[in-house]
Amino acid sequence: MIENVFNATLEGNVYDIAELIQAELDGGVEPQAILKVMMSAMEQCGKKFEVGEYFLPELMMAADAFKVGMEVLAPRLAGAPREYVGKVVLGTVQGDIHDIGKNLVGFMLESAGYQVINLGVDVTPEAFVQAVKDHSPDILGMSALLTTTMLGMKDIIEELKRQGLREQVKVMIGGAPVSKRVAEEIGADAYGNDAGQAIELARSLMPARAGG
Amino acid sequence: MGQNLMLVIGKAVIKRKTGIGTLNGFERFLLSQFMVPDRVSTFLAATNVEPYLVDPKYDYELLTSSVQANLEMFEKVRQCFKADTVMVPTWMGMLPQGVAELGVKFKIEKMRVPYPVESPILSMEDVERIQPPEKASGYLKMNFDIHLEAQRKYTDTMINLAFDGPWDMAMLLRGDRYLPMDLRIHKDYTEAKDPALKEKIRRRGNPDMYPAIMDLASRISIRHVQLAKEYGLSLIGASLVDQYATKPILSFEDFSHYVLPYIQRVWNACDRKVMFGYMDNSPDSLEKLLSDRTLGITASLTNYIFHQTPEGVTLPEYDPPMFEMAKKYKKAYMYQIHGKFLRDATRDELEAVVRRICGMAVKMQVPATISIISVPPGTDLEKVNFVFNLTEKYGRY
């Protein structure tokens, strides 16, 4: 039953999810329907994290289960490209290696139907800008957990302007040290202090496609 | 330390109870940990003051290469900021934890706190290869040298050592992307009853990895405390820190079952001479820890990781229950002002917070400390003493 796929994703059951999905496919369930159920489970994971029911191991295992499930689904979805509501490039700024929050944002956005390209940590301004050129994302998300490294976000926005890229992407900044004042000062379009705000912020930056 | 702490406390208690003599800042801070002094005390962790704000000649490249530079910066911070107590005389990020010597690679740049970029444990072979150190060397030794000199020189404050507990140590050695997964695989395996499921779990990952890493991390933590003692350092006030083992990273249940036993092992091996306190991101579970001693966990009454407003202030609704708990269980509350709020707030906004917290402490006669967590770039340094002066103004019991 497809409910088993939902539960396996929600519970981070990486051990059984491949078999469960294969069983659904063999039973004639459409791959897109299975994907939708998995994404719904991921969104539920995000909500559980927000209210303090899920913690890092639960989220990481759920994301892993989702990935394992996608390995089974991907060949069946190849003919029908996955529809995303938007594309987001995420990275932790140079000098900062905190990625727990950024990765949680990635999970949340994926669960809400966004395509997420994760640049990792300690990302240079050049790498951020290159990623904007390479992927043409709707949103560029930058994360920092230190008040010192947060200062680098301004450099990235300035570089986007210098290269004529600023108008083609919305910039979202996140992390404990960011604030409204910082976002306004550096010219970011939105800011958030924790991963729980990610989906709402992304939707606010792309209102025309927020229905995803 | 350079003086007998019990004598200092005794003298402070006599001053307070008889009203003869004025408490100095150190006496006030010590008293405020267990009884109401003359006013709310103030505290600053020097390590969290960006050094170049105080003196542009000092940056992290210098501070990670010179014992003397750290001692000089500590003296400058003490002169610059008028907290009752200023502690933590090192500007080296996590390097003092001795993990670079175990294979953790760090990046050191002038204007940024040194940060780890690579963890040495990728496989069980790495766990078996890495051993606790025989002697203090490298940055661990540098940390000990700084503290030894500071303990000798500064008799009007406490120079406490902070040791990474087993979870935080393991996070550095294994990486924060892997350790939570190792825990989950170990947990799933431990809790699985079906042999077929256990087999599936083993095919997915190694359930023995987590206990092996935590055992190693525990032995390293124990050895570091032993080395500090052998080095001649005082362990009075020394703490075992596992700040990444709390919410929202780990649930309290996972912490209790899968981390606490290792912390207790370290604690017992160190003759219970290091302190450990569990921090929560809200007051909710702290009362349970305070009321149920059988859990064996001390609750830290501090707002350090509490949920905040976007401006960086602890949610105000958390403070009344914290003061009530402190009163009920005869504890002290350390209220921490976050660097972001210090940096961005107006003076009126800062005053409103200090006045509110001091007001509750005074009204309820609860010992309290106002601490500034960090002084980040972009901060007007005058705000730091402004906060301390406000505490003097509003914090008289």
Coordinates of all heavy atoms in Angstrom, one line a residue, chain A residues 11-16 19 49 54-58 60-61 64 68 94-100 103 121-122 146-152 175-179 181-182 191 193, chain B residues 50 52 107 109 111-113 115-117 171 176-178 180-181 183-185 187-188 197 200-201 204 244 247-252 254 308-310 340 343-344 376-378:
Chain A
E11 N 9.5 7.9 8.4 CA 10.3 7.3 9.5 C 11.8 7.1 9.2 O 12.5 6.5 10.0 CB 9.6 5.9 9.9 CG 8.3 6.1 10.5 CD 7.5 4.8 10.4 OE1 8.0 3.7 10.1 OE2 6.2 4.9 10.7
G12 N 12.1 7.4 8.0 CA 13.5 7.2 7.6 C 13.9 5.8 7.5 O 15.0 5.4 7.8
N13 N 13.0 5.0 7.0 CA 13.2 3.6 6.8 C 14.0 3.3 5.5 O 13.4 2.9 4.5 CB 11.9 2.8 6.9 CG 12.1 1.3 6.8 OD1 13.2 0.8 6.6 ND2 11.0 0.6 7.1
V14 N 15.3 3.6 5.5 CA 16.1 3.4 4.3 C 16.2 1.9 4.0 O 16.5 1.5 2.9 CB 17.5 3.9 4.5 CG1 17.5 5.4 4.6 CG2 18.2 3.3 5.7
Y15 N 15.9 1.0 4.9 CA 16.2 -0.4 4.8 C 15.1 -1.1 3.9 O 15.4 -2.0 3.2 CB 16.2 -1.1 6.1 CG 17.0 -0.2 7.2 CD1 16.3 0.4 8.2 CD2 18.3 0.0 7.1 CE1 16.9 1.2 9.2 CE2 19.0 0.8 8.0 CZ 18.3 1.4 9.0 OH 18.9 2.2 9.9
D16 N 13.9 -0.6 4.0 CA 12.8 -1.2 3.3 C 12.2 -0.4 2.1 O 11.4 -0.9 1.3 CB 11.6 -1.5 4.3 CG 12.0 -2.6 5.3 OD1 12.8 -3.5 4.9 OD2 11.6 -2.4 6.5
E19 N 12.3 -1.7 -1.6 CA 11.3 -2.8 -1.9 C 9.9 -2.3 -1.9 O 9.1 -2.8 -2.8 CB 11.4 -3.8 -0.8 CG 12.7 -4.7 -0.8 CD 12.8 -5.6 0.4 OE1 11.7 -5.9 1.0 OE2 13.9 -5.9 0.8
F49 N 9.9 18.7 12.6 CA 11.1 19.3 13.1 C 10.8 20.7 13.7 O 11.3 21.1 14.8 CB 12.1 19.5 12.0 CG 13.4 20.2 12.4 CD1 14.3 19.5 13.1 CD2 13.6 21.5 12.0 CE1 15.5 20.2 13.5 CE2 14.7 22.2 12.4 CZ 15.7 21.5 13.2
Y54 N 10.8 16.0 15.7 CA 11.9 15.4 14.9 C 13.2 16.2 15.2 O 13.1 17.4 15.4 CB 11.6 15.4 13.4 CG 11.0 14.1 12.9 CD1 10.3 13.2 13.8 CD2 11.0 13.8 11.6 CE1 9.7 12.1 13.3 CE2 10.5 12.6 11.1 CZ 9.8 11.8 12.0 OH 9.2 10.6 11.5
F55 N 14.3 15.5 15.1 CA 15.6 16.1 15.3 C 16.5 15.7 14.2 O 16.1 15.1 13.2 CB 16.1 15.7 16.7 CG 15.2 16.2 17.8 CD1 14.2 15.4 18.2 CD2 15.5 17.4 18.5 CE1 13.3 15.8 19.2 CE2 14.6 17.8 19.5 CZ 13.5 17.0 19.9
L56 N 17.8 16.0 14.3 CA 18.7 15.9 13.2 C 18.7 14.4 12.7 O 18.6 14.2 11.4 CB 20.1 16.4 13.5 CG 20.9 16.7 12.4 CD1 20.3 17.8 11.5 CD2 22.3 17.2 12.9
P57 N 18.9 13.4 13.5 CA 19.0 12.0 12.9 C 17.7 11.7 12.2 O 17.8 11.0 11.1 CB 19.2 11.2 14.2 CG 19.8 12.1 15.2 CD 19.2 13.4 14.9
E58 N 16.6 12.1 12.7 CA 15.3 11.8 12.0 C 15.3 12.4 10.6 O 14.9 11.8 9.6 CB 14.1 12.2 12.8 CG 13.8 11.4 14.1 CD 14.8 11.6 15.2 OE1 15.2 12.8 15.4 OE2 15.2 10.7 15.9
M60 N 17.8 13.5 8.8 CA 18.8 13.0 7.9 C 18.4 11.6 7.3 O 18.7 11.3 6.2 CB 20.2 12.9 8.6 CG 20.8 14.3 8.9 SD 22.2 14.2 10.0 CE 23.5 14.1 8.9
M61 N 17.8 10.8 8.2 CA 17.4 9.4 7.7 C 16.3 9.5 6.8 O 16.2 8.8 5.8 CB 17.1 8.5 8.9 CG 18.3 8.0 9.6 SD 19.4 7.0 8.6 CE 18.8 5.3 9.0
D64 N 17.6 10.5 3.5 CA 18.3 9.3 3.0 C 17.3 8.4 2.4 O 17.5 7.8 1.3 CB 19.1 8.6 4.1 CG 20.6 8.6 3.7 OD1 21.0 9.5 3.0 OD2 21.2 7.6 4.2
V68 N 17.1 7.1 -1.5 CA 17.0 5.7 -1.9 C 15.8 5.5 -2.7 O 15.8 4.8 -3.7 CB 17.0 4.8 -0.6 CG1 16.7 3.4 -1.0 CG2 18.4 4.9 0.1
Q94 N 31.7 31.5 2.7 CA 33.1 31.2 2.9 C 33.5 31.5 4.3 O 33.1 32.5 4.9 CB 34.0 32.2 2.0 CG 35.5 31.8 2.0 CD 36.2 32.6 1.0 OE1 35.8 33.7 0.6 NE2 37.4 32.1 0.5
G95 N 34.3 30.6 4.8 CA 34.8 30.7 6.2 C 33.9 30.0 7.2 O 34.2 30.0 8.4
D96 N 32.8 29.5 6.7 CA 31.8 29.0 7.7 C 31.5 27.5 7.2 O 31.3 27.3 6.1 CB 30.5 29.8 7.6 CG 29.6 29.6 8.8 OD1 29.5 28.5 9.3 OD2 29.1 30.6 9.3
I97 N 31.6 26.6 8.2 CA 31.4 25.2 7.8 C 30.2 24.6 8.4 O 29.9 23.4 8.4 CB 32.6 24.3 8.1 CG1 33.1 24.6 9.5 CG2 33.8 24.6 7.1 CD1 32.4 23.8 10.6
H98 N 29.3 25.5 9.0 CA 28.1 25.0 9.6 C 27.1 24.7 8.4 O 26.8 25.6 7.6 CB 27.5 26.1 10.5 CG 28.3 26.4 11.7 ND1 29.2 27.4 11.7 CD2 28.4 25.8 12.9 CE1 29.8 27.4 12.9 NE2 29.3 26.5 13.6
D99 N 26.7 23.5 8.4 CA 25.8 23.2 7.3 C 24.5 22.5 7.8 O 23.6 22.1 6.9 CB 26.4 22.4 6.2 CG 26.8 21.0 6.6 OD1 26.7 20.6 7.8 OD2 27.1 20.2 5.7
I100 N 24.4 22.3 9.0 CA 23.2 21.6 9.5 C 21.9 22.4 9.1 O 21.0 21.9 8.5 CB 23.2 21.4 11.0 CG1 24.3 20.4 11.4 CG2 21.9 20.9 11.5 CD1 24.6 20.2 12.9
N103 N 21.3 22.5 5.4 CA 20.8 21.2 4.9 C 19.4 21.0 5.3 O 18.6 20.4 4.5 CB 21.7 20.0 5.4 CG 23.0 20.0 4.7 OD1 23.3 20.7 3.7 ND2 24.0 19.3 5.3
V121 N 29.7 23.8 1.9 CA 30.1 24.8 2.9 C 31.3 25.6 2.4 O 31.9 25.1 1.5 CB 30.3 24.2 4.3 CG1 29.1 23.5 4.8 CG2 31.5 23.1 4.2
D122 N 31.7 26.6 3.1 CA 32.9 27.4 2.8 C 32.9 27.7 1.3 O 33.9 27.6 0.7 CB 34.1 26.5 3.2 CG 35.4 27.3 3.2 OD1 35.3 28.5 3.4 OD2 36.5 26.7 3.1
L146 N 28.0 32.3 11.9 CA 28.9 33.2 12.6 C 28.7 34.6 12.2 O 28.5 34.9 11.0 CB 30.4 32.8 12.4 CG 30.8 31.4 12.7 CD1 32.2 31.1 12.3 CD2 30.6 31.0 14.2
T147 N 28.8 35.5 13.2 CA 28.6 36.9 12.9 C 29.8 37.4 12.0 O 29.6 38.4 11.2 CB 28.6 37.8 14.1 OG1 29.7 37.4 15.0 CG2 27.3 37.6 14.9
T148 N 30.9 36.7 12.1 CA 32.1 37.1 11.2 C 31.8 36.7 9.8 O 32.0 37.5 8.8 CB 33.4 36.5 11.7 OG1 33.1 35.1 12.1 CG2 33.9 37.2 13.0
T149 N 31.4 35.5 9.6 CA 31.3 35.0 8.2 C 30.1 35.6 7.5 O 30.1 35.7 6.3 CB 31.2 33.4 8.2 OG1 30.1 33.1 9.1 CG2 32.5 32.8 8.7
M150 N 29.1 36.0 8.3 CA 27.9 36.6 7.7 C 28.3 37.8 6.8 O 27.6 38.1 5.8 CB 27.0 37.0 8.8 CG 25.7 37.6 8.4 SD 25.0 38.4 9.9 CE 26.0 39.8 10.1
L151 N 29.3 38.5 7.2 CA 29.7 39.7 6.4 C 30.0 39.4 5.0 O 29.9 40.3 4.1 CB 31.0 40.3 7.1 CG 30.8 40.6 8.6 CD1 32.2 41.1 9.1 CD2 29.8 41.7 8.8
G152 N 30.4 38.1 4.7 CA 30.7 37.8 3.3 C 29.5 37.8 2.4 O 29.6 37.8 1.1
G175 N 20.4 32.1 9.0 CA 21.3 31.7 10.0 C 21.1 32.6 11.2 O 20.5 33.7 11.1
A176 N 21.5 32.1 12.4 CA 21.2 32.8 13.6 C 21.7 34.3 13.6 O 20.9 35.1 14.2 CB 21.9 32.1 14.8
P177 N 22.8 34.7 13.1 CA 23.2 36.1 13.2 C 22.5 37.0 12.3 O 22.7 38.2 12.4 CB 24.7 36.0 12.9 CG 24.9 34.9 12.0 CD 23.9 33.9 12.4
V178 N 21.8 36.5 11.3 CA 21.2 37.5 10.3 C 20.0 38.1 11.0 O 19.3 37.6 11.9 CB 20.8 36.8 9.0 CG1 22.0 36.2 8.4 CG2 19.7 35.9 9.1
S179 N 19.6 39.3 10.5 CA 18.5 40.0 11.0 C 17.9 40.9 9.9 O 18.5 41.0 8.8 CB 18.9 41.0 12.2 OG 19.8 41.9 11.7
R181 N 17.8 44.0 9.8 CA 18.8 45.1 9.6 C 19.8 44.7 8.6 O 20.2 45.4 7.7 CB 19.4 45.6 10.9 CG 20.2 46.9 10.8 CD 21.1 47.1 11.9 NE 22.4 46.5 11.6 CZ 23.5 46.8 12.3 NH1 23.5 47.6 13.3 NH2 24.7 46.2 12.0
V182 N 20.4 43.5 8.9 CA 21.5 43.0 8.0 C 20.9 42.8 6.6 O 21.6 43.2 5.6 CB 22.0 41.7 8.6 CG1 22.9 41.0 7.6 CG2 22.8 41.9 9.9
Y191 N 15.1 37.1 4.7 CA 16.0 36.5 5.6 C 15.2 35.6 6.6 O 14.0 35.8 6.8 CB 16.7 37.6 6.5 CG 15.9 38.1 7.6 CD1 16.1 37.6 8.9 CD2 14.9 39.1 7.4 CE1 15.3 38.1 10.0 CE2 14.2 39.6 8.4 CZ 14.4 39.1 9.7 OH 13.6 39.6 10.7
N193 N 15.8 33.1 10.3 CA 16.7 32.7 11.4 C 16.8 31.2 11.7 O 17.6 30.7 12.4 CB 16.4 33.4 12.7 CG 16.6 34.9 12.6 OD1 15.7 35.7 12.8 ND2 17.9 35.2 12.3
Chain B
E50 N 35.5 39.9 19.4 CA 36.4 39.9 18.2 C 37.6 40.7 18.6 O 37.5 41.9 18.9 CB 35.6 40.4 17.0 CG 34.6 39.5 16.4 CD 35.2 38.2 16.0 OE1 36.2 38.1 15.3 OE2 34.6 37.2 16.4
Y52 N 40.1 42.1 17.1 CA 40.6 43.3 16.3 C 39.7 44.5 16.6 O 40.0 45.6 16.3 CB 40.7 43.0 14.8 CG 39.5 42.2 14.3 CD1 38.3 42.7 14.0 CD2 39.7 40.8 14.2 CE1 37.2 41.9 13.6 CE2 38.6 40.0 13.8 CZ 37.4 40.5 13.5 OH 36.4 39.8 13.1
K107 N 41.1 25.5 9.2 CA 41.5 26.6 8.4 C 41.7 27.8 9.3 O 40.9 28.1 10.1 CB 40.5 27.0 7.4 CG 41.0 27.7 6.1 CD 40.0 27.6 5.0 CE 40.4 28.4 3.8 NZ 39.4 28.3 2.7
E109 N 42.5 31.8 9.4 CA 42.6 33.1 8.6 C 42.6 34.2 9.6 O 42.2 34.1 10.8 CB 41.4 33.2 7.7 CG 41.3 32.1 6.7 CD 40.0 32.1 5.9 OE1 39.0 32.7 6.5 OE2 39.9 31.5 4.8
M111 N 40.9 37.1 10.0 CA 39.7 37.8 10.6 C 38.6 36.8 10.9 O 37.5 37.2 11.2 CB 39.2 38.8 9.6 CG 40.2 39.8 9.1 SD 40.9 40.8 10.4 CE 39.7 42.1 10.5
R112 N 38.9 35.5 10.9 CA 37.8 34.5 11.2 C 38.3 33.6 12.3 O 39.4 33.1 12.3 CB 37.4 33.8 10.0 CG 36.7 34.6 9.0 CD 36.1 33.8 7.9 NE 35.3 34.7 7.0 CZ 35.6 35.1 5.8 NH1 36.7 34.7 5.2 NH2 34.8 35.9 5.1
V113 N 37.4 33.2 13.1 CA 37.7 32.2 14.1 C 38.1 30.9 13.4 O 37.5 30.5 12.4 CB 36.5 31.9 15.0 CG1 36.7 30.7 16.0 CG2 36.0 33.1 15.8
Y115 N 38.4 27.3 12.0 CA 37.3 26.4 11.9 C 37.7 25.1 11.3 O 38.6 25.1 10.4 CB 36.1 27.0 11.1 CG 36.5 27.5 9.7 CD1 36.2 26.7 8.6 CD2 37.0 28.7 9.5 CE1 36.5 27.1 7.3 CE2 37.4 29.2 8.2 CZ 37.1 28.4 7.1 OH 37.4 28.8 5.9
P116 N 37.1 24.0 11.7 CA 37.5 22.7 11.1 C 37.0 22.5 9.7 O 35.8 22.8 9.4 CB 36.8 21.7 12.1 CG 35.6 22.4 12.7 CD 36.0 23.9 12.7
V117 N 37.8 21.9 8.9 CA 37.4 21.7 7.5 C 37.4 20.2 7.1 O 36.9 19.8 6.1 CB 38.2 22.5 6.5 CG1 37.9 24.0 6.6 CG2 39.7 22.2 6.6
M171 N 31.9 14.7 17.3 CA 31.4 15.5 16.1 C 32.6 16.1 15.3 O 32.5 16.2 14.1 CB 30.5 16.7 16.6 CG 29.1 16.2 16.9 SD 28.0 15.9 15.5 CE 27.0 17.3 15.5
D176 N 30.0 16.4 11.5 CA 28.5 16.5 11.9 C 27.6 16.0 10.8 O 26.4 15.9 11.1 CB 28.2 18.0 12.3 CG 28.5 19.0 11.2 OD1 28.6 18.6 10.0 OD2 28.5 20.2 11.5
R177 N 28.1 15.7 9.6 CA 27.3 15.0 8.6 C 27.1 13.5 8.9 O 26.2 12.9 8.4 CB 27.9 15.2 7.2 CG 27.5 16.6 6.6 CD 28.3 16.7 5.3 NE 29.1 18.0 5.4 CZ 29.8 18.5 4.4 NH1 29.8 17.8 3.3 NH2 30.4 19.6 4.5
Y178 N 28.0 13.0 9.6 CA 28.1 11.5 9.7 C 27.7 11.0 11.1 O 27.0 10.0 11.2 CB 29.5 11.0 9.4 CG 29.9 11.3 8.0 CD1 30.9 12.2 7.7 CD2 29.3 10.7 6.9 CE1 31.2 12.5 6.4 CE2 29.6 11.0 5.6 CZ 30.6 11.9 5.4 OH 30.9 12.2 4.1
P180 N 25.5 12.0 13.4 CA 24.0 11.7 13.7 C 23.5 10.5 12.9 O 22.7 9.8 13.5 CB 23.3 13.0 13.2 CG 24.4 14.0 13.3 CD 25.7 13.3 12.9
M181 N 24.1 10.2 11.8 CA 23.6 9.0 11.0 C 24.1 7.8 11.7 O 23.5 6.7 11.7 CB 24.1 9.1 9.6 CG 23.5 10.2 8.8 SD 21.8 9.9 8.4 CE 22.0 8.9 6.9
L183 N 24.6 7.4 14.8 CA 23.8 7.2 15.9 C 22.5 6.5 15.5 O 22.1 5.5 16.2 CB 23.5 8.5 16.6 CG 22.4 8.6 17.6 CD1 22.6 7.6 18.8 CD2 22.2 10.0 18.2
R184 N 21.9 7.0 14.5 CA 20.6 6.5 14.0 C 20.7 5.0 13.6 O 19.9 4.2 14.0 CB 20.1 7.3 12.9 CG 18.7 6.9 12.4 CD 17.6 6.8 13.4 NE 16.5 6.1 12.8 CZ 15.5 6.7 12.2 NH1 15.4 8.0 12.1 NH2 14.5 5.9 11.6
I185 N 21.8 4.7 12.9 CA 21.9 3.3 12.5 C 22.2 2.4 13.7 O 21.6 1.3 13.8 CB 23.1 3.2 11.4 CG1 22.6 3.8 10.1 CG2 23.5 1.7 11.2 CD1 23.7 3.9 9.1
K187 N 21.1 3.0 16.7 CA 19.9 2.9 17.4 C 18.9 2.0 16.7 O 18.3 1.1 17.4 CB 19.3 4.4 17.4 CG 17.9 4.5 18.1 CD 17.4 5.9 18.1 CE 16.0 6.1 18.6 NZ 15.5 7.4 18.5
D188 N 18.8 2.1 15.4 CA 17.9 1.2 14.7 C 18.3 -0.3 14.9 O 17.4 -1.2 15.1 CB 17.9 1.5 13.2 CG 17.2 2.8 12.9 OD1 16.4 3.3 13.7 OD2 17.3 3.3 11.7
L197 N 15.8 -7.7 9.7 CA 15.9 -6.3 9.7 C 17.3 -5.9 10.2 O 18.0 -5.0 9.6 CB 14.9 -5.6 10.6 CG 15.0 -4.1 10.8 CD1 15.0 -3.4 9.4 CD2 13.9 -3.6 11.7
K200 N 19.5 -6.2 7.3 CA 19.4 -5.1 6.4 C 20.1 -3.9 6.9 O 20.7 -3.1 6.1 CB 17.9 -4.7 6.2 CG 17.1 -5.7 5.4 CD 15.7 -5.2 5.2 CE 14.8 -6.2 4.6 NZ 13.4 -5.7 4.5
I201 N 20.0 -3.6 8.2 CA 20.7 -2.5 8.7 C 22.2 -2.6 8.6 O 22.9 -1.6 8.2 CB 20.3 -2.3 10.2 CG1 18.8 -2.0 10.3 CG2 21.1 -1.2 10.9 CD1 18.2 -2.0 11.8
R204 N 23.4 -1.6 5.3 CA 23.2 -0.2 5.0 C 24.4 0.6 5.7 O 24.9 1.6 5.1 CB 21.9 0.3 5.6 CG 21.6 1.8 5.4 CD 21.2 2.0 4.0 NE 21.4 3.5 3.7 CZ 21.3 4.0 2.5 NH1 21.2 3.2 1.4 NH2 21.5 5.3 2.3
Y244 N 26.4 20.4 21.5 CA 25.8 20.0 20.2 C 25.0 18.7 20.4 O 24.5 18.1 19.5 CB 26.8 19.8 19.1 CG 27.4 21.1 18.7 CD1 28.8 21.3 19.0 CD2 26.7 22.1 18.1 CE1 29.3 22.6 18.7 CE2 27.3 23.3 17.8 CZ 28.6 23.5 18.1 OH 29.1 24.7 17.8
K247 N 18.9 19.9 21.9 CA 18.0 20.2 20.9 C 18.5 21.5 20.1 O 19.2 22.3 20.8 CB 16.6 20.6 21.5 CG 16.0 19.4 22.2 CD 14.8 19.9 23.0 CE 14.3 18.8 24.0 NZ 13.3 19.3 24.9
P248 N 18.2 21.6 18.9 CA 17.4 20.7 18.0 C 18.2 19.6 17.3 O 17.7 19.0 16.4 CB 16.8 21.7 17.0 CG 17.9 22.7 16.8 CD 18.6 22.8 18.1
I249 N 19.4 19.4 17.8 CA 20.2 18.4 17.1 C 19.8 17.0 17.5 O 19.6 16.1 16.7 CB 21.7 18.6 17.3 CG1 22.1 20.0 16.6 CG2 22.6 17.5 16.7 CD1 23.5 20.4 16.9
L250 N 19.7 16.8 18.8 CA 19.3 15.5 19.4 C 18.1 15.7 20.3 O 18.0 16.7 21.0 CB 20.4 14.9 20.2 CG 21.6 14.3 19.5 CD1 22.5 13.6 20.5 CD2 21.2 13.4 18.4
S251 N 17.2 14.7 20.3 CA 16.1 14.7 21.2 C 16.6 14.4 22.6 O 17.7 13.9 22.8 CB 15.1 13.6 20.9 OG 15.7 12.3 21.0
F252 N 15.9 14.8 23.6 CA 16.3 14.5 25.0 C 16.4 13.0 25.2 O 17.3 12.5 25.9 CB 15.3 15.1 26.0 CG 15.7 14.9 27.4 CD1 16.8 15.6 28.0 CD2 15.0 14.0 28.2 CE1 17.2 15.3 29.3 CE2 15.4 13.8 29.5 CZ 16.5 14.4 30.1
D254 N 17.2 10.6 23.0 CA 18.4 10.1 22.4 C 19.6 10.6 23.2 O 20.6 9.8 23.4 CB 18.6 10.6 20.9 CG 17.8 9.8 20.0 OD1 17.2 8.7 20.4 OD2 17.7 10.2 18.8
Q308 N 14.5 32.3 20.0 CA 14.7 33.8 20.1 C 13.7 34.5 19.1 O 13.2 33.8 18.2 CB 16.1 34.2 19.6 CG 17.2 33.6 20.4 CD 18.5 33.9 19.7 OE1 18.6 34.8 18.8 NE2 19.6 33.2 20.1
T309 N 13.5 35.7 19.4 CA 12.8 36.6 18.4 C 13.8 36.8 17.2 O 15.0 36.6 17.3 CB 12.4 37.9 19.0 OG1 13.7 38.7 19.3 CG2 11.6 37.8 20.3
P310 N 13.2 37.3 16.1 CA 14.1 37.5 15.0 C 15.2 38.5 15.3 O 16.3 38.5 14.7 CB 13.2 38.1 13.9 CG 11.9 37.6 14.2 CD 11.8 37.4 15.7
K340 N 24.0 39.3 18.3 CA 23.2 39.9 17.3 C 22.4 41.0 17.9 O 22.3 42.1 17.3 CB 22.3 38.9 16.6 CG 21.5 39.4 15.5 CD 20.8 38.3 14.7 CE 19.5 37.9 15.3 NZ 18.8 36.9 14.5
R343 N 24.6 43.9 18.9 CA 25.0 44.7 17.7 C 23.9 45.6 17.2 O 24.2 46.7 16.8 CB 25.5 43.7 16.7 CG 26.0 44.3 15.4 CD 26.1 43.2 14.3 NE 24.8 42.8 13.9 CZ 24.5 41.6 13.3 NH1 25.5 40.7 13.1 NH2 23.3 41.2 13.0
D344 N 22.7 45.0 17.0 CA 21.7 45.7 16.3 C 20.7 46.6 17.1 O 20.0 47.4 16.6 CB 20.8 44.7 15.5 CG 21.6 43.9 14.5 OD1 22.7 44.4 14.1 OD2 21.1 42.9 14.0
P376 N 30.3 40.9 18.4 CA 30.7 40.5 17.1 C 31.1 41.8 16.3 O 30.9 42.9 16.7 CB 29.3 40.0 16.5 CG 28.3 40.7 17.3 CD 28.8 40.9 18.6
P377 N 31.6 41.6 15.1 CA 32.0 42.7 14.2 C 30.7 43.6 14.0 O 29.6 43.1 13.9 CB 32.4 42.1 12.9 CG 32.7 40.7 13.2 CD 31.9 40.3 14.4
G378 N 31.0 44.9 13.9 CA 29.9 45.8 13.7 C 29.3 46.3 15.0 O 28.4 47.2 15.0

